[in-house]
Amino acid sequence: MSNRPRRVIVDTDTAGDDSQALLLAAATDRVAIEGVTIGAGNVAFDRQVENAKYTLDLAGVDDVTVYEGARGPLLVPFEHADHIHGEGGLGGERFPETGIPSGDAYGPDFIVERARENPGEFTLVCLAPLTNVALALRREPDLGELLDSVWVMGGNANCPGNVTPAAEYNFWVDPHAARKVLRELDVTLFDWGVSVRDATFDGDTLDGFAGIETEFGELFGEIADAGRAFNRETHGEDQATQPDPATMAAVIAPSLVEEAGTYHVAVDDREGLTRGYSAVDENGLTEDEPRTRVVESFDGDRFEAMFRAMLRGDAPETALE
């Protein structure tokens, strides 16, 4: 195995758990963030841009540029998720204005340019609705051949959704983009189901994290409070699900993926109750090519240890040694 860090581009709609994914990536020597692109999703677009810049700055990363991408889905209207993440996306208490300039390139163009310049070198980590990635595919149909790998947090593999009974938020926001990306790229999918099963911190764990008196710990405490309040009110559960940091942790330490299967996955892009539904053909009932690797089991205990190490200011991989 090469000792070189994995070169990554992170496509995100920076709110609470997205920021923690960026902190994990910034804290490890196993990956090197070489650009962050922003797409429409969790909260107001300009807040997402500032949240990404603020998070990178907090982590002491001053050589990574944030590129602004799509400000809305390809074809459909959508709603933000600030009722979950707080008005500004970082728990409702932080509204950073960094003054840091954005990159000159449009987000999808940046993805294409970097992939063309460095074929086979980049991993694309997708934590947002997939609009930017779909637009990059329009510009470069051979994008999949130019990337090393693509990781996507999204979809709900034969489980209930989190924004409607049928759909996970990222796929619901831009179902046309999700359908295109899963049809044209070989993707590793970290879905909502495995997030709930294996990447959810309960109240006791969150209370333990609250005792970590670092800048990272204080930020996470504010973010977690918003998520806990939403889950208590909506689901009667004292917990906070961590899909984006868990996806990033799996990129950092692929051994955290305990089980995965490769299936055909189609996304419903029609309006109506099933908008954004991800149909995972686990039983091979269709004749379509199985090309999406779906994470089915994830080592939540080791992920929690990595997360704790990051909050303390340590490299997350030290928790695996």
Side-chain angles (χ1 to χ4, degrees), residues 91-147:
E93 301 298 327
R94 300 192 188 205
F95 299 87
E97 296 292 344
T98 64
I100 299 170
S102 298
D104 293 335
Y106 183 50
D109 292 336
F110 170 77
I111 293 171
V112 170
E113 290 166 7
R114 296 298 278 160
R116 285 174 175 166
E117 292 168 358
N118 305 270
E121 288 289 319
F122 277 100
T123 291
L124 187 58
V125 183
C126 309
L127 308 178
L130 291 167
T131 316
N132 283 338
V133 187
L135 290 172
L137 270 167
R138 283 184 181 176
R139 289 156 168 75
E140 177 51 84
D142 293 329
L143 183 64
E145 298 176 13
L146 297 172
L147 292 168

XYZ file of all heavy atoms in Angstrom, residues 91-147:
432
model
N -25.305 24.779 13.905
C -25.980 24.702 15.190
C -26.844 25.897 15.514
O -27.546 25.906 16.522
N -26.779 26.928 14.676
C -27.626 28.090 14.891
C -26.966 29.215 15.642
O -27.555 30.290 15.802
N -25.730 29.016 16.131
C -25.060 30.033 16.929
C -23.905 30.713 16.198
O -23.450 31.784 16.613
C -24.529 29.405 18.223
C -25.608 28.769 19.091
C -26.630 29.781 19.579
O -26.242 30.944 19.810
O -27.806 29.413 19.713
N -23.391 30.090 15.144
C -22.222 30.637 14.449
C -22.598 31.039 13.027
O -23.145 30.235 12.275
C -21.089 29.611 14.410
C -20.623 29.176 15.785
C -19.328 28.401 15.718
N -19.003 27.830 17.026
C -17.784 27.519 17.440
N -16.756 27.706 16.627
N -17.584 27.009 18.628
N -22.271 32.275 12.682
C -22.525 32.801 11.345
C -21.229 33.440 10.851
O -21.103 34.670 10.818
C -23.672 33.812 11.365
C -24.976 33.233 11.828
C -25.282 33.189 13.190
C -25.875 32.710 10.922
C -26.484 32.644 13.630
C -27.079 32.165 11.350
C -27.379 32.125 12.706
N -20.244 32.620 10.486
C -18.926 33.168 10.164
C -18.932 34.034 8.912
O -19.689 33.803 7.978
C -18.064 31.917 9.959
C -19.035 30.826 9.632
C -20.270 31.143 10.383
N -18.086 35.036 8.934
C -17.800 35.878 7.762
C -16.283 35.935 7.668
O -15.635 36.773 8.287
C -18.403 37.274 7.925
C -19.925 37.294 8.009
C -20.605 36.901 6.704
O -19.928 36.912 5.650
O -21.809 36.596 6.754
N -15.691 35.038 6.928
C -14.247 34.848 6.973
C -13.470 35.885 6.179
O -12.312 36.157 6.480
C -13.875 33.457 6.429
O -14.239 33.383 5.040
C -14.577 32.361 7.218
N -14.084 36.428 5.139
C -13.347 37.313 4.250
C -12.391 36.585 3.319
O -11.663 37.213 2.552
N -12.390 35.253 3.376
C -11.513 34.454 2.514
C -12.143 34.368 1.121
O -13.318 34.010 0.995
C -11.314 33.046 3.101
C -10.650 33.135 4.484
C -10.495 32.161 2.160
C -10.642 31.816 5.235
N -11.403 34.685 0.061
C -12.004 34.634 -1.282
C -12.270 33.217 -1.750
O -11.547 32.279 -1.383
C -10.959 35.322 -2.155
C -9.666 35.133 -1.431
C -10.004 35.151 0.032
N -13.297 33.067 -2.552
C -13.560 31.789 -3.216
C -12.659 31.649 -4.429
O -12.096 32.630 -4.932
C -15.025 31.707 -3.660
O -15.901 31.767 -2.555
N -12.527 30.417 -4.917
C -11.742 30.175 -6.116
C -12.387 30.778 -7.346
O -13.604 31.026 -7.379
N -11.596 31.026 -8.373
C -12.099 31.640 -9.600
C -12.960 30.685 -10.420
O -13.839 31.117 -11.159
C -10.926 32.122 -10.460
C -10.174 33.278 -9.818
O -10.793 33.998 -8.998
O -8.981 33.453 -10.105
N -12.698 29.381 -10.319
C -13.395 28.412 -11.162
C -14.778 28.074 -10.605
O -15.003 28.117 -9.389
C -12.564 27.144 -11.301
N -15.701 27.749 -11.493
C -17.005 27.193 -11.117
C -16.783 25.773 -10.621
O -15.965 25.028 -11.175
C -17.902 27.226 -12.338
C -19.321 26.768 -12.141
C -20.106 27.271 -11.108
C -19.892 25.844 -13.015
C -21.421 26.871 -10.946
C -21.209 25.436 -12.872
C -21.969 25.948 -11.826
O -23.272 25.545 -11.673
N -17.475 25.379 -9.568
C -17.229 24.096 -8.926
C -17.149 22.902 -9.869
O -16.167 22.141 -9.839
N -18.146 22.669 -10.715
C -18.068 21.536 -11.637
C -16.878 21.620 -12.593
O -16.273 20.594 -12.929
C -19.397 21.605 -12.399
C -20.332 22.271 -11.443
C -19.490 23.284 -10.731
N -16.529 22.836 -13.028
C -15.365 23.006 -13.902
C -14.078 22.641 -13.171
O -13.171 22.033 -13.758
C -15.278 24.445 -14.410
C -16.402 24.799 -15.363
O -16.977 23.879 -15.980
O -16.729 26.000 -15.480
N -13.987 23.014 -11.887
C -12.804 22.660 -11.107
C -12.644 21.148 -11.023
O -11.530 20.624 -11.196
C -12.909 23.262 -9.699
C -11.854 22.758 -8.757
C -10.553 23.236 -8.831
C -12.152 21.794 -7.810
C -9.566 22.755 -7.967
C -11.184 21.316 -6.940
C -9.879 21.799 -7.026
N -13.737 20.433 -10.773
C -13.670 18.970 -10.696
C -13.126 18.397 -12.000
O -12.232 17.540 -12.009
C -15.063 18.389 -10.365
C -15.490 18.787 -8.945
C -15.064 16.864 -10.524
C -16.932 18.448 -8.622
N -13.668 18.856 -13.107
C -13.251 18.351 -14.418
C -11.796 18.693 -14.701
O -11.011 17.834 -15.154
C -14.178 18.904 -15.521
C -13.615 18.583 -16.901
C -15.582 18.330 -15.376
N -11.411 19.934 -14.449
C -10.041 20.357 -14.730
C -9.026 19.546 -13.946
O -8.006 19.098 -14.494
C -9.893 21.849 -14.424
C -10.624 22.753 -15.409
C -10.753 24.180 -14.904
O -10.146 24.480 -13.832
O -11.449 24.983 -15.546
N -9.279 19.350 -12.653
C -8.336 18.603 -11.829
C -8.267 17.141 -12.245
O -7.193 16.532 -12.255
C -8.721 18.712 -10.355
C -8.645 20.118 -9.817
C -7.228 20.674 -9.880
N -6.419 20.228 -8.766
C -5.105 20.225 -8.750
N -4.440 20.625 -9.831
N -4.435 19.824 -7.695
N -9.419 16.576 -12.617
C -9.419 15.179 -13.062
C -8.662 15.018 -14.375
O -7.901 14.047 -14.553
C -10.859 14.688 -13.204
N -8.843 15.944 -15.301
C -8.136 15.868 -16.585
C -6.633 16.055 -16.406
O -5.837 15.399 -17.082
C -8.681 16.933 -17.532
C -10.052 16.614 -18.125
C -10.560 17.785 -18.937
N -11.818 17.490 -19.621
C -12.595 18.409 -20.173
N -12.228 19.698 -20.120
N -13.715 18.068 -20.779
N -6.248 16.937 -15.499
C -4.826 17.215 -15.278
C -4.112 16.078 -14.547
O -2.894 15.926 -14.674
C -4.673 18.508 -14.472
C -5.085 19.768 -15.221
C -5.193 20.968 -14.294
O -4.980 20.795 -13.067
O -5.496 22.064 -14.791
N -4.883 15.290 -13.777
C -4.294 14.249 -12.934
C -5.093 12.953 -13.057
O -5.696 12.496 -12.086
C -4.270 14.713 -11.472
C -3.578 16.030 -11.275
O -2.382 16.087 -11.048
N -4.346 17.122 -11.352
N -5.132 12.353 -14.244
C -5.980 11.165 -14.435
C -5.620 10.040 -13.476
O -4.447 9.716 -13.286
C -5.723 10.779 -15.896
C -4.447 11.460 -16.267
C -4.379 12.702 -15.455
N -6.666 9.480 -12.849
C -6.488 8.361 -11.939
C -5.981 8.724 -10.569
O -5.721 7.839 -9.747
N -5.859 10.026 -10.268
C -5.241 10.451 -9.013
C -6.250 10.853 -7.942
O -5.956 10.736 -6.752
C -4.307 11.635 -9.274
C -3.031 11.271 -10.000
C -2.093 10.478 -9.119
O -1.952 10.798 -7.926
O -1.507 9.494 -9.626
N -7.424 11.326 -8.338
C -8.317 11.947 -7.364
C -9.463 11.034 -6.942
O -10.059 10.332 -7.754
C -8.911 13.241 -7.924
C -8.007 14.419 -7.767
C -7.240 14.868 -8.829
C -7.909 15.075 -6.551
C -6.390 15.943 -8.683
C -7.061 16.154 -6.398
C -6.298 16.599 -7.460
N -9.770 11.106 -5.635
C -11.000 10.540 -5.096
C -11.975 11.693 -4.884
O -11.620 12.710 -4.276
C -10.741 9.822 -3.764
O -9.974 8.641 -4.016
C -12.043 9.423 -3.093
N -13.182 11.527 -5.381
C -14.230 12.521 -5.206
C -15.119 12.064 -4.052
O -15.702 10.979 -4.104
C -15.032 12.659 -6.501
C -16.074 13.764 -6.600
C -15.455 15.130 -6.371
C -16.759 13.710 -7.971
N -15.185 12.877 -2.989
C -15.993 12.564 -1.817
C -17.207 13.481 -1.837
O -17.082 14.702 -1.669
C -15.187 12.746 -0.517
C -16.039 12.331 0.690
C -13.898 11.928 -0.552
N -18.381 12.904 -2.041
C -19.603 13.664 -2.298
C -20.502 13.617 -1.066
O -21.073 12.560 -0.749
C -20.343 13.094 -3.502
S -19.311 12.892 -4.969
N -20.649 14.757 -0.405
C -21.432 14.845 0.820
C -22.698 15.678 0.636
O -23.451 15.873 1.585
C -20.574 15.469 1.933
C -19.210 14.816 2.174
C -18.452 15.576 3.262
C -19.362 13.342 2.550
N -22.926 16.162 -0.564
C -24.030 17.068 -0.870
C -24.953 16.415 -1.896
O -24.645 15.359 -2.451
C -23.461 18.375 -1.435
N -26.090 17.032 -2.186
C -26.809 16.653 -3.394
C -25.850 16.660 -4.575
O -24.920 17.474 -4.628
C -27.888 17.730 -3.507
C -28.138 18.139 -2.085
C -26.789 18.087 -1.424
N -26.072 15.800 -5.557
C -25.051 15.498 -6.563
C -25.090 16.420 -7.788
O -24.573 16.062 -8.845
C -25.194 14.037 -6.986
C -24.799 13.044 -5.885
C -25.268 11.630 -6.235
C -23.298 13.069 -5.642
N -25.619 17.614 -7.632
C -25.746 18.534 -8.758
C -24.401 18.854 -9.389
O -24.247 18.806 -10.619
C -26.435 19.831 -8.304
O -27.547 19.528 -7.464
C -26.913 20.622 -9.511
N -23.415 19.212 -8.583
C -22.104 19.564 -9.132
C -21.486 18.402 -9.897
O -20.847 18.601 -10.947
C -21.151 19.985 -8.010
C -21.409 21.389 -7.508
O -21.985 22.209 -8.202
N -20.973 21.662 -6.281
N -21.664 17.200 -9.391
C -21.073 16.026 -10.040
C -21.778 15.745 -11.363
O -21.138 15.423 -12.370
C -21.119 14.801 -9.110
C -20.358 13.631 -9.725
C -20.536 15.143 -7.739
N -23.091 15.877 -11.383
C -23.833 15.692 -12.635
C -23.427 16.726 -13.671
O -23.269 16.409 -14.864
C -25.334 15.756 -12.363
N -23.229 17.959 -13.250
C -22.785 18.996 -14.179
C -21.364 18.727 -14.667
O -21.033 18.979 -15.832
C -22.860 20.365 -13.503
C -24.278 20.886 -13.237
C -24.232 22.151 -12.387
C -25.030 21.152 -14.532
N -20.517 18.196 -13.800
C -19.172 17.814 -14.233
C -19.242 16.700 -15.270
O -18.472 16.695 -16.244
C -18.342 17.378 -13.027
N -20.155 15.767 -15.104
C -20.334 14.684 -16.078
C -20.821 15.217 -17.418
O -20.448 14.682 -18.470
C -21.326 13.650 -15.534
C -20.739 12.514 -14.711
C -21.843 11.759 -13.984
C -19.954 11.556 -15.609
N -21.655 16.233 -17.409
C -22.092 16.844 -18.671
C -20.891 17.420 -19.420
O -20.814 17.333 -20.650
C -23.103 17.952 -18.402
C -24.504 17.484 -18.059
C -25.419 18.687 -17.925
N -26.779 18.306 -17.566
C -27.750 19.188 -17.318
N -27.489 20.489 -17.404
N -28.959 18.777 -16.990
N -19.967 18.005 -18.677
C -18.796 18.613 -19.286
C -17.774 17.574 -19.727
O -17.072 17.761 -20.718
C -18.148 19.598 -18.292
C -18.966 20.857 -18.066
C -18.648 21.504 -16.715
N -19.200 22.853 -16.601
C -20.500 23.104 -16.410
N -21.371 22.113 -16.316
N -20.920 24.361 -16.307
N -17.692 16.471 -18.967
C -16.706 15.433 -19.240
C -17.350 14.063 -19.051
O -17.359 13.507 -17.952
C -15.496 15.607 -18.312
C -14.427 14.520 -18.450
C -14.006 14.295 -19.880
O -13.135 15.056 -20.361
O -14.550 13.363 -20.512
N -17.936 13.492 -20.112
C -18.597 12.189 -19.994
C -17.666 11.063 -19.535
O -18.139 10.047 -19.016
C -19.118 11.934 -21.421
C -19.243 13.295 -22.024
C -18.116 14.085 -21.452
N -16.356 11.227 -19.719
C -15.404 10.206 -19.288
C -14.861 10.478 -17.890
O -13.794 9.966 -17.520
C -14.228 10.133 -20.276
C -14.658 9.618 -21.642
O -15.606 8.814 -21.697
O -14.060 10.038 -22.648
N -15.588 11.250 -17.108
C -15.109 11.616 -15.778
C -14.763 10.385 -14.939
O -13.754 10.381 -14.221
C -16.166 12.460 -15.053
C -15.793 12.978 -13.671
C -14.616 13.951 -13.755
C -17.001 13.654 -13.008
N -15.586 9.355 -15.020
C -15.341 8.162 -14.222
C -13.999 7.520 -14.505
O -13.348 6.982 -13.589
N -13.553 7.580 -15.752
C -12.262 7.004 -16.117
C -11.102 7.872 -15.648
O -9.969 7.392 -15.526
C -12.190 6.813 -17.626
C -13.235 5.836 -18.174
C -13.195 5.747 -19.684
O -12.209 6.238 -20.275
O -14.168 5.228 -20.268
N -11.392 9.146 -15.354
C -10.346 10.077 -14.947
C -10.173 10.140 -13.432
O -9.188 10.706 -12.947
C -10.655 11.481 -15.476
C -10.680 11.622 -16.999
C -11.180 13.009 -17.387
C -9.295 11.375 -17.580
N -11.140 9.594 -12.689
C -11.080 9.611 -11.232
C -10.596 8.271 -10.705
O -10.817 7.224 -11.314
C -12.464 9.923 -10.653
C -13.002 11.330 -10.901
C -14.474 11.407 -10.526
C -12.200 12.376 -10.123
